[in-house]
Structure formats: structure tokens, C-alpha cells
Amino acid sequence: MISILIRNKNEANSLINALLSIKKQKFDLPYEIVIIDDASTDNSIEVANEFGCKVVKLDKKFTYGYALNFGLKHCQYEIVLLLSSHNILLSSDSFENFVHYFSDPSVAAVRCIPISNTKQILQSVKSDLTINKNNYVHEKDWQNLIVANCSAIRKSVAIEIPFNETIRSNEEKLWSLEVMEKGYSLKSNVSCYFLYNRKNNYKVDIRDHISKYQVDGIIPLKTSRFIWIFFKSIPWALKIAWDRWYQTNHLNWEFSRISRKFEKGKYN
């Protein structure tokens, strides 16, 4: 039995695809879909109702951590899949895998893999990762900690150790560190794959690095290093710009010549 918890604000078009991918799961046990909606003004609520979701409106100002803590109170099952409305589940047996992994009482969370991450996919082909306090290496494993856009967690652990409600982002990674300190383990890079269909945003990257620095104090890029990279990259940027310009125009030129060089129906 699984609860799927989705935080949503004006994401009706993406939400449809996420919900359709949930419906394609091969799973015989009961499950529920809980939408925590942050004052959407589009037709997100109508979409959620069409799919039989439980819709709960956020009762105060949104933060990532608070939305998770609030949403968990409305989930009835012990296994909770944290899913983004921008994600599409690609593995039809994800729910079955979650049940299998959580049969180990020491496992607090299970992280799935975005298909854009080749390194983690290759790791999953060999075996999944078990991360705990004893084997965690920050430089290597930070990227393997859970993500709130597609990870399953144990509800009782999240009630015992709630998500931080003030940090800008990375609330799930901070939570991962805290639960490992309590003796729990995480399963990462398991053979459950998803598509993250939202475009990258540099402001989001900055926000995530701010919260990471607040967690571990590791400076993402020193000013002196930035200056060196900036001047070093100027020739590289000019070369890329020239190559891109040349390739685009060369391709268009060749396209324009096809009708003059070749004739329909003749293949020699």
C-alpha cells in the first residue's frame, strides 16, 4: 500500500502526464494520490479530481519542507512516494520495488533515477547503493541522497524526523543526513526510472547551492576561481559560437541545394 504525495501550483498540463504514468503502474495493492495544492489558479484541481486524487490546500505560506510535512499528515499509508508534477514514471514496477525495499526496517527512503543521469543508471545496472552513516562520503554521495521529485520514504520516520521548513531547498537531502545520523539507511540508484520534464533554470541551481552551502559550509566556487574560469573560457566561448554559426549556416545551405542537385524519383 502506497501514498503518492505531489506538491502542486499551477502545473495542470504537467500534472496530467504524471498522473497518467501513475495509472500505468502494475500494482495490485491499494494506493492513493494526495495533491498538496498551493493556491493554484489554473485547472489543476479539476485535473486532480478527474483522476480521483485527494486534494488538500496548503494552509499557510509555502516552503518546500512545510509542504512535505503538511502533506504527510494527509497520507494514510506507511510508504509515501514523493513525486513532482513535472515527472513521468517510466518503470511500471516502481511500486512493487518500493514494497520490496521497505521490507528492510532499517531503510528510511528509496531514491529513483532520472534518465538524464547516465552515471546513476550505469550504477543501477550493477547494483543499487545502500548509504548509511558508516559509509557516507559527502563528496561522492551527496548526489545520491534522496530527491523530493521522485523518492519513496517511510512515513513513520518522516513523522519522527520532520523535514526542515526554513531551508530554501535541498530539504530532502538535509533530511537524509539527519535520518542516517539516527541509524537509518537509504537505498539509492535503484532500477526505478523517471523523466524530469521541466527545463533547467539557473536561478534554481543558485538556490540549491545556497542551501547546500548552508548545510555543509563548502564554498561552491571561490571568487578567484571564478575570475580564472571566466578569462580562460573566452577563447572557448568564441570557438563554440563560431562552430555553431558555421554548422547552422552550412546545414541550411546544403538543404537549399537539395532540389537543385537531386530529382524526385531518381535514386542514383
Side-chain angles (χ1 to χ4, degrees):
M1 296 181 286
I2 293 178
S3 297
I4 300 100
L5 179 60
I6 303 176
R7 299 174 294 193
N8 179 79
K9 182 179 178 69
N10 293 331
E11 299 290 355
N13 293 333
S14 298
L15 184 60
I16 292 174
N17 293 325
L19 295 174
L20 286 172
S21 72
I22 292 172
K23 293 297 183 182
K24 290 187 177 182
Q25 288 293 306
K26 298 175 182 177
F27 193 63
D28 296 329
L29 297 175
Y31 68 88
E32 64 172 354
I33 306 172
V34 179
I35 307 291
I36 300 301
D37 189 75
D38 183 22
S40 290
T41 55
D42 66 357
N43 64 327
S44 292
I45 305 299
E46 290 82 355
V47 169
N49 289 332
E50 288 177 7
F51 281 84
C53 304
K54 180 195 298 184
V55 179
V56 183
K57 294 185 179 180
L58 199 64
D59 63 349
K60 70 177 188 180
K61 185 178 179 180
F62 175 90
T63 69
Y64 288 103
Y66 177 72
L68 289 179
N69 292 332
F70 178 76
L72 286 167
K73 296 176 182 177
H74 297 275
C75 295
Q76 61 177 313
Y77 299 129
E78 174 70 349
I79 300 174
V80 180
L81 172 62
L82 309 179
L83 189 67
S84 168
S85 56
H86 294 280
N87 284 354
I88 297 173
L89 298 175
L90 300 177
S91 304
S92 61
D93 58 350
S94 294
F95 290 2
E96 292 180 350
N97 286 331
F98 295 150
V99 172
H100 166 71
Y101 286 115
F102 283 107
S103 63
D104 181 349
S106 70
V107 173
V110 179
R111 174 192 168 133
C112 303
I113 306 176
I115 59 169
S116 60
N117 195 318
T118 304
K119 183 177 180 179
Q120 290 181 334
I121 291 175
L122 292 175
Q123 170 65 50
S124 73
V125 172
K126 299 174 183 177
S127 66
D128 51 58
L129 294 177
T130 300
I131 308 174
N132 54 45
K133 180 181 179 181
N134 296 325
N135 66 6
Y136 177 73
V137 179
H138 182 74
E139 291 74 13
K140 175 174 67 73
D141 289 321
W142 172 265
Q143 298 301 321
N144 294 322
L145 299 179
I146 74 164
V147 289
N149 56 3
C150 197
S151 295
I153 64 173
R154 196 183 295 275
K155 178 183 175 181
S156 58
V157 175
I159 297 299
E160 173 192 355
I161 309 169
F163 291 88
N164 185 292
E165 297 181 1
T166 59
I167 195 168
R168 287 177 174 84
S169 65
N170 286 316
E171 72 288 343
E172 73 276 58
K173 294 185 181 293
L174 180 57
W175 181 84
S176 297
L177 298 176
E178 292 173 346
V179 300
M180 287 193 294
E181 280 295 321
K182 293 288 187 179
Y184 293 102
S185 62
L186 310 173
K187 284 286 185 180
S188 187
N189 298 354
V190 301
S191 299
C192 300
Y193 308 104
F194 67 92
L195 171 66
Y196 184 67
N197 63 342
R198 189 175 190 179
K199 293 182 179 179
N200 291 330
N201 185 322
Y202 83 93
K203 292 183 179 179
V204 173
D205 289 337
I206 293 172
R207 181 201 68 194
D208 289 348
H209 278 80
I210 289 172
S211 60
K212 182 179 183 296
Y213 175 71
Q214 291 173 329
V215 171
D216 58 26
I218 298 175
I219 301 173
L221 184 65
K222 293 182 179 180
T223 304
S224 58
R225 178 65 178 165
F226 165 77
I227 294 172
W228 165 247
I229 292 173
F230 177 80
F231 285 105
K232 183 180 178 182
S233 65
I234 290 175
W236 170 75
L238 291 173
K239 182 180 185 303
I240 290 178
W242 167 258
D243 289 346
R244 183 62 178 166
W245 179 88
Y246 172 79
Q247 290 172 12
T248 299
N249 286 281
H250 179 72
L251 182 65
N252 290 335
W253 170 245
E254 290 299 328
F255 283 165
S256 71
R257 298 176 63 209
I258 287 176
S259 62
R260 298 195 298 273
K261 292 180 63 178
F262 302 94
E263 185 176 347
K264 181 180 177 181
K266 293 185 178 181
Y267 308 104
N268 57 337

